[in-house]
Structures are given as C-alpha cells and as structure tokens.
Amino acid sequence: MQSPDYCNVCTVGTGQAGAAIVFGAKCVASAHDNQLSENSREFSNRMGDFQQFEPDFYQSGYYINDQEQPAYVYEDAAHQDVDYDVPPPGVFAPSMGLGSPDPLYTGQMFQPAKDTGTAAYTGADTFEDEPPLLEELGINFDHIWQKTLTVLNPLKQADGSIMHETDLTGPILFCVALGATLLMAGKIHFGYVYGISAMGCLGMYTLLNLMSLVAVSYGCVASVLGYCLLPMVGLSTFAIFFSLQGILGTLFALLVIGWCSLSASKIFISTLAMEGQQLLVAYPCALLYGVFALLTVF
C-alpha cells in the first residue's frame, strides 16, 4: 500500500493541473470576445462612413418625377408645309433656264417609247427580226448539206467561201456515227476515234500553214477533215454486215481512203488557193484516213 503522504501529493498536483486548464480556457474565451467586439466596432464605423457617402453617390439631375414633362410643340415657320417642286432661293435646279421639262412617259409597259428628238423609230429590235437560235449558235443546215454534197462528189468544184467557215456540227456528228457503227460491229474505239482526229487535225494544221501563203485556222482544218470522214462511216457501216478481212475488203478500204483524201485535198486547195499542190496535200490526208480504215477493217 502507498503511503498517505504520496496520495496527498498526487491530489495536490491534480488540482493544480485542472485549475491551469480552466484558466487557459477562460483566457481564450476572453480573447475571442475581445476580437468580436473589435470587429463589431470596425463594422459600425464603416457603415457610418457609407451612410455619410450615400447622399453624394451617383448624383445627377434626373429624377423619376421628371418623366411626366409636357411635349414641346414647334410652331416655327420653317417646319410648315413646303412645296418641294419649287427650289429654294439661291439653289440651282437643272430645269431652270433650259426650257420646258421632259414630257411624261406615256408608252405602254415593257415597250420603249419613240424618241422624238432623234431619227424615226424603225422597230428593228423586235423579236421577229432577230436571227434564229441555230444561226446564232453557228449551226446552218444549208451549209452542212452543201458541204456533205461536196464530200460525196469529189469531182464537184468546192465553194471556198463556205468551206472556210468553222463549222464543227457535221464533224462531231460523223465522228459519233463512226464510233457508233464500230461499236455495232463489236469494236469499242470511241477513244481512238477522238484521239486520232485531234492529233491528225493538229498535224494537218501545222503542215498547211507551212505550205500555203494564206493563214488557216485550226477550226477550219478540223471542219474539213471531219466532213471528209463521211465515206469512212459508210465503210464501217458495211463492216457491220460483212467482213472486210479479204481481198475485196482491202480494195474497198483503199477506195474509201482515196475518196476521203481526194475530197479533203480538193477543199483545202480551193480554200487556200494552192493550185498545183493537191497531191502534196492528199498524201498526208491519205495517211490519216488510212488509220481510220485500219480501225474499221481489223
């Protein structure tokens, strides 16, 4: 057992520790109350300053009672009815001093009135006097027919004025017809037809410009060579029903080649005034149409 003196010492030590804790808690609470009191006084001082500043905050001369002000009525003479047809004094008007103004428009809508100050109106701008649409597009069936007859008859004299026109309607039709007849014969050669035609026209264009004194256009060369392709279309049509891989077929193909080259050279000679040079022009034409004949026969 412990001695009584030791128990008394423990009791005294425990009592002092508890008193120290209670004293510390009271000190903390007192400090917290002092801080709250100081914050309250500072807030009260700031609110007092704001209340003093509030009467001067955003002061202006506008008040809500001013919204019901009466409207002003201007009775100045300058705002009265004014005749705008009469210019004010000191201002220049185009119609002043230039005679009577232009008369009012009295014609019908969408129809121009006659100009009385110029020559008499002839009415040449009506729809009846306009050229046909095909003629504006450069498609003349009469000239197409005449060129076709010239190609079909190699012995006929060619009209140079007609052959000098750049007409590509007939050549395009004959190229499409040649490709279609080859397709009916089981040969898909549309690309070859167009490619060989373009390259052949380019070569003949270069050769004719070197040989002749008269300049010739690429469109004219393409037009003549395209029209002279018509006998080759007949050969390809014949190849649909009969085979050309024989002696008779070869002779027929040579006849068509000579026909096309003779017609083309005749037209070039009459158009470019190259008398005495038909054989020189017919030779490259024969080479070109010979390629089309090979496509048709084989």
Side-chain angles (χ1 to χ4, degrees):
M1 294 180 62
Q2 296 180 355
S3 62
D5 295 335
Y6 179 78
C7 292
N8 293 330
V9 171
C10 291
T11 302
V12 172
T14 303
Q16 292 179 354
I21 292 173
V22 172
F23 179 76
K26 289 181 179 181
C27 290
V28 171
S30 177
H32 182 66
D33 293 339
N34 293 334
Q35 184 68 29
L36 290 179
S37 300
E38 185 178 355
N39 293 337
S40 298
R41 287 194 300 270
E42 184 178 358
F43 180 74
S44 300
N45 293 332
R46 290 184 179 181
M47 289 300 296
D49 295 339
F50 180 76
Q51 291 177 359
Q52 293 178 0
F53 180 73
E54 184 177 3
D56 298 333
F57 187 71
Y58 289 144
Q59 291 186 2
S60 63
Y62 176 79
Y63 297 94
I64 193 170
N65 296 327
D66 295 338
Q67 293 182 354
E68 298 181 357
Q69 296 179 356
Y72 293 99
V73 178
Y74 296 94
E75 297 181 354
D76 193 359
H79 296 80
Q80 296 178 0
D81 295 336
V82 180
D83 188 4
Y84 292 98
D85 295 334
V86 179
V91 178
F92 174 75
S95 61
M96 294 176 61
L98 299 179
S100 60
D102 295 336
L104 297 177
Y105 178 76
T106 57
Q108 298 181 1
M109 187 173 292
F110 302 117
Q111 292 184 2
K114 296 182 179 180
D115 190 2
T116 58
T118 58
Y121 181 73
T122 57
D125 295 335
T126 59
F127 291 104
E128 290 79 6
D129 297 333
E130 292 184 356
L133 178 60
L134 294 178
E135 185 176 350
E136 291 183 354
L137 295 176
I139 301 174
N140 193 329
F141 290 104
D142 186 22
H143 291 181
I144 293 175
W145 178 247
Q146 292 183 14
K147 292 179 181 180
T148 304
L149 293 179
T150 303
V151 172
L152 294 177
N153 187 7
L155 302 178
K156 180 183 177 181
Q157 186 65 28
D159 188 359
S161 61
I162 296 178
M163 294 302 170
H164 204 276
E165 296 178 355
T166 305
D167 176 23
L168 297 179
T169 305
I172 292 175
L173 292 176
F174 294 155
C175 286
V176 173
L178 179 60
T181 52
L182 291 175
L183 180 63
M184 295 176 66
K187 303 171 184 178
I188 306 176
H189 293 328
F190 281 99
Y192 290 108
V193 171
Y194 297 144
I196 294 172
S197 299
M199 295 179 62
C201 292
L202 182 60
M204 287 299 300
Y205 167 74
T206 305
L207 182 62
L208 290 175
N209 280 303
L210 293 175
M211 293 177 62
S212 65
L213 299 177
V214 181
V216 62
S217 63
Y218 182 84
C220 179
V221 175
S223 177
V224 173
L225 294 178
Y227 273 105
C228 294
L229 195 64
L230 180 59
M232 196 63 61
V233 176
L235 178 65
S236 62
T237 305
F238 184 80
I240 298 175
F241 307 99
F242 305 99
S243 176
L244 298 177
Q245 297 182 4
I247 298 177
L248 294 178
T250 303
L251 293 177
F252 188 34
L254 292 176
L255 178 62
V256 171
I257 292 172
W259 188 355
C260 294
S261 59
L262 183 60
S263 298
S265 61
K266 176 192 64 175
I267 296 173
F268 284 131
I269 292 302
S270 61
T271 303
L272 302 177
M274 299 172 60
E275 289 80 3
Q277 302 182 20
Q278 185 173 1
L279 293 179
L280 295 177
V281 178
Y283 176 70
C285 293
L287 294 178
L288 175 61
Y289 292 114
V291 177
F292 288 111
L294 291 176
L295 291 177
T296 304
V297 174
F298 300 101

